[in-house]
Amino acid sequence: MNHEIIWQTEKWVKEKLAHDHSGHDWEHIRRVRDNALYIARQEGGDSLIIELAALLHDVVDDKVVEDVEAAYQELEEWLNAQGIAFRVTEQVIHIISTMSFKGGNRLPMSTLEGKIVQDADRLDAIGAIGIARTFMYAGAKGHLMYDKDVSVRETMTEQEYRQGKSTAVHHFYEKLLKLKDLMNTNTAKRLAGERHEYMEHFLQQFMKEWNGWQ
């Protein structure tokens, strides 16, 4: 039963994200799912809830869909149509509705499953893949690569985080470099260290090349 549910979910998510060019495509979902299942093998948790939440977390994200409320309604109806237990549906929706960074203004995740999926998503936002996705997203949204006259925002409301002026490089300082210390599980904390260090080296090299012979 669970195998069929996962297979149907994979198929549905692939269709939903088939035209994404912002770094929230199926390959991102696949990596997050793989990260989540790996963490779960070390930390525990309900594997069905974890895998479903990892697979579905971006089909309602405001970076991907225009009407978030309608997307949530469609998701809930789709989950119900699969015959998934209400307990599972409720927890999956709770996880994906509370896991995003959104300027760092969210309360800590309340369940082990939520902590694992959040960690899995955040791991894909840092390291080499995180660097690539950052510039992919910036290009898709028409953001600059870097602007020395733009200030790094230390504190932001959710609206400021989404709509305020920033650049791809600023995003590292406003979010990505903070994620290592925001990981929930010991497994993710261990994995995040290497990826964090890689980003720091990248930024040092980027600024060296940006500034040239100055």
Side-chain angles (χ1 to χ4, degrees):
M1 177 63 176
N2 287 356
H3 179 77
E4 176 67 19
I5 289 172
I6 294 300
W7 184 81
Q8 291 292 346
T9 305
E10 289 178 353
K11 182 180 177 182
W12 192 63
V13 172
K14 285 178 182 179
E15 292 173 355
K16 285 289 179 185
L17 302 178
H19 303 293
D20 179 81
H21 300 290
S22 70
H24 299 85
D25 54 8
W26 166 252
E27 290 301 321
H28 163 64
I29 299 299
R30 177 190 60 77
R31 292 189 302 269
V32 171
R33 187 260 302 273
D34 291 348
N35 288 342
L37 292 178
Y38 175 80
I39 296 170
R41 287 195 292 272
Q42 323 302 316
E43 305 282 345
D46 186 312
S47 60
L48 178 60
I49 292 171
I50 290 168
E51 189 164 8
L52 284 174
L55 287 169
L56 293 164
H57 77 277
D58 272 344
V59 299
V60 294
D61 195 296
D62 60 358
K63 297 187 295 295
V64 178
V65 301
E66 293 185 6
D67 190 332
V68 173
E69 186 176 344
Y72 269 105
Q73 183 176 346
E74 182 183 14
L75 171 59
E76 187 169 359
E77 291 173 353
W78 187 85
L79 287 168
N80 290 336
Q82 308 312 306
I84 297 172
F86 175 75
R87 173 189 68 86
V88 174
T89 294
E90 187 177 43
Q91 291 193 54
V92 167
I93 291 177
H94 176 71
I95 289 170
I96 64 179
S97 66
T98 56
M99 62 183 279
S100 293
F101 182 76
K102 296 187 184 300
N105 299 305
R106 289 297 184 86
L107 294 173
M109 299 298 287
S110 59
T111 66
L112 175 59
E113 291 80 10
K115 291 175 181 179
I116 287 172
V117 177
Q118 186 178 61
D119 282 354
D121 189 39
R122 287 177 170 178
L123 282 171
D124 205 57
I126 61 178
I129 289 291
I131 292 169
R133 290 183 64 225
T134 296
F135 287 95
M136 187 176 184
Y137 183 81
K141 299 299 181 180
H143 298 167
L144 293 176
M145 182 164 59
Y146 178 62
D147 183 344
K148 64 180 179 61
D149 294 324
V150 174
S151 298
V152 173
R153 300 169 296 175
E154 295 298 335
T155 57
M156 297 166 278
T157 64
E158 181 179 335
Q159 184 177 11
E160 289 170 340
Y161 176 66
R162 285 282 185 256
Q163 301 177 6
K165 187 174 183 181
S166 189
T167 73
V169 169
H170 283 70
H171 186 62
F172 287 88
Y173 298 98
E174 294 172 351
K175 175 184 177 181
L176 306 187
L177 292 173
K178 299 177 180 181
L179 295 183
K180 176 176 69 71
D181 295 329
L182 295 176
M183 295 295 172
N184 302 291
T185 63
N186 289 331
T187 303
K189 290 174 182 177
R190 174 175 57 80
L191 295 171
E194 180 183 2
R195 299 188 185 206
H196 180 90
E197 185 176 352
Y198 189 90
M199 290 193 301
E200 290 185 320
H201 289 316
F202 166 79
L203 289 168
Q204 292 170 4
Q205 183 66 23
F206 179 93
M207 296 311 302
K208 180 179 179 180
E209 294 179 15
W210 182 274
N211 291 322
W213 301 106
Q214 297 179 20

